[in-house]
Amino acid sequence: MQVITTKLELTRQVTACLRQNKTIGFVPTMGALHAGHASLVQRACSENEVCFVSVFVNPTQFNNSEDLLRYPRDLEKDAKLLELLGVHFVFAPTPEEMYSKEEMESSFMFDFNGLDEMMEGKMRPGHFNGVVQVVSILFDLVQPTRAYFGEKDFQQLAIIRYLVERSPLANRYKGIKIIGCPIVREESGLAMSSRNERLSSKEKQIAVAISQVLISSLEWAKNDSVFTVQQRVVDAINAIDGLTVEYYDIVDKTTLQPTDTFINAVGCVTVYCGSVRLIDNIQY
Ligand code: PAF
């Protein structure tokens, strides 16, 4: 496995793969890798001839500088795991290598066709502009055959699909297939997240209730309306000492617009467990 830190070397390696007509699997990450990332990487390695993973804590997608500072970083540990998983190339640039001064300072604007108006987009202004900014640079560099994203970040996945399949930039990315992969959970049911590292062991136990309530909501959905289920989920999570719901929205899986039926619906939740912001979702 080779760790690449410059765009020039990345382009050199990608060009060599493309010349040999090799299929390229790509998993973009911000490091602090866990079993959720490992499942994406395993799939990318098994479905493609070459596997590239990027490890880059993208400053332009953080709307909270404290959150950016506290984001866990351990490239050495991540690289060991990626090597074991059979990855061929890791791209781990500095922010200065990734962005020009202008790109770093000017705020990149993307028209999301309404997909950013709710949930994470509403709570974290500018977040998805930063995500699309970095993902489009990475797609231009890596030119993957398939790119893998976790369903835990459901809104992010819907936005990346839109970017590649339906947006005005779709023509540029038409060769890329976006693969959504299921949420990987700890044995307790807690969705795997790099942020779980910041939970105390007591908070980890408390946070298990999030997925438990979401699973209960599948039963509630058999009799109750979407509105009632939303309310029940919020009330049940808030009733647990140490958890505070930021939002729970049941939306259409493709348009992310509020829906009043459970057909093609996903419920997305954000919960504070102490100071740690956790997200999870469930498909009805
Ligand atoms: O999901 C993530 O880890 C990030 O948002 C991504 C896609 C790597 C872009 O920085």
Side-chain angles (χ1 to χ4, degrees):
M1 186 181 82
Q2 185 183 338
V3 178
I4 299 172
T5 55
T6 65
K7 287 181 179 174
L8 196 68
E9 176 60 10
L10 178 63
T11 304
R12 217 173 63 80
Q13 296 296 350
V14 168
T15 309
C17 294
L18 293 176
R19 269 209 202 106
Q20 295 167 64
N21 278 326
K22 288 194 170 155
T23 51
I24 298 179
F26 177 49
V27 185
T29 81
M30 296 210 297
L33 304 178
H34 50 68
H37 296 110
S39 74
L40 306 182
V41 172
Q42 272 161 342
R43 198 159 161 198
C45 288
S46 71
E47 294 179 350
N48 302 277
E49 287 161 289
V50 196
C51 179
F52 284 75
V53 174
S54 61
V55 174
F56 177 65
V57 181
N58 175 30
T60 69
Q61 72 186 73
F62 284 80
N63 55 331
N64 177 334
S65 49
E66 180 73 3
D67 202 19
L68 172 61
L69 271 177
R70 288 203 306 201
Y71 204 85
R73 294 163 170 88
D74 191 342
L75 180 59
E76 216 176 297
K77 188 170 160 211
D78 290 341
K80 275 189 192 137
L81 173 68
L82 295 173
E83 180 142 40
L84 280 175
L85 292 170
V87 170
H88 301 91
F89 297 101
V90 176
F91 180 49
T94 59
E96 294 71 28
E97 175 67 21
M98 181 65 97
Y99 295 122
S100 66
K101 203 162 175 293
E102 297 73 51
E103 283 170 332
M104 190 71 128
E105 279 162 12
S106 71
S107 43
F108 172 92
M109 295 295 267
F110 180 72
D111 181 355
F112 294 91
N113 200 24
L115 288 170
D116 65 330
E117 282 162 10
M118 64 300 282
M119 306 191 293
E120 291 304 277
K122 191 165 157 197
M123 295 300 163
R124 304 176 67 187
H127 168 67
F128 286 122
N129 276 303
V131 170
V132 169
Q133 180 183 28
V134 77
V135 169
S136 54
I137 293 174
L138 289 166
F139 281 176
D140 287 337
L141 289 167
V142 179
Q143 301 181 54
T145 317
R146 299 181 188 85
Y148 298 78
F149 292 83
E151 284 178 350
K152 184 166 82 69
D153 295 297
F154 199 90
Q155 190 170 11
Q156 169 172 281
L157 175 59
I159 284 173
I160 301 294
R161 279 198 201 288
Y162 169 72
L163 166 73
V164 167
E165 292 165 10
R166 304 189 308 280
S167 82
L169 294 181
N171 208 29
R172 181 156 138 200
Y173 299 122
K174 63 175 182 287
I176 306 175
K177 190 165 169 32
I178 301 300
I179 317 270
C181 302
I183 299 177
V184 177
R185 297 181 180 278
E186 298 193 3
E187 226 173 282
S188 64
L190 178 65
M192 295 268 183
S193 164
S194 307
R195 287 166 203 263
N196 293 357
E197 282 186 27
R198 286 171 34 203
L199 296 171
S200 67
S201 52
K202 178 147 186 265
E203 285 173 332
K204 258 194 159 184
Q205 280 169 14
I206 296 172
V208 168
I210 302 168
S211 60
Q212 287 172 345
V213 171
L214 292 182
I215 290 168
S216 304
S217 78
L218 293 175
E219 276 304 306
W220 304 339
K222 289 181 183 161
N223 300 306
D224 293 338
S225 68
V226 167
F227 179 79
T228 306
V229 170
Q230 266 177 188
Q231 205 51 53
R232 283 184 76 172
V233 167
V234 173
D235 292 346
I237 297 178
N238 280 340
I240 292 148
D241 211 18
L243 297 182
T244 310
V245 175
E246 187 175 63
Y247 64 79
Y248 182 58
D249 287 346
I250 296 176
V251 297
D252 178 88
K253 280 188 209 171
T254 316
T255 64
L256 303 184
Q257 292 305 311
T259 173
D260 54 12
T261 103
F262 288 104
I263 298 165
N264 198 43
V266 58
C268 298
V269 76
T270 293
V271 180
Y272 276 93
C273 181
S275 64
V276 185
R277 191 172 183 274
L278 300 172
I279 66 173
D280 200 346
N281 63 69
I282 194 144
Q283 301 191 34
Y284 290 97

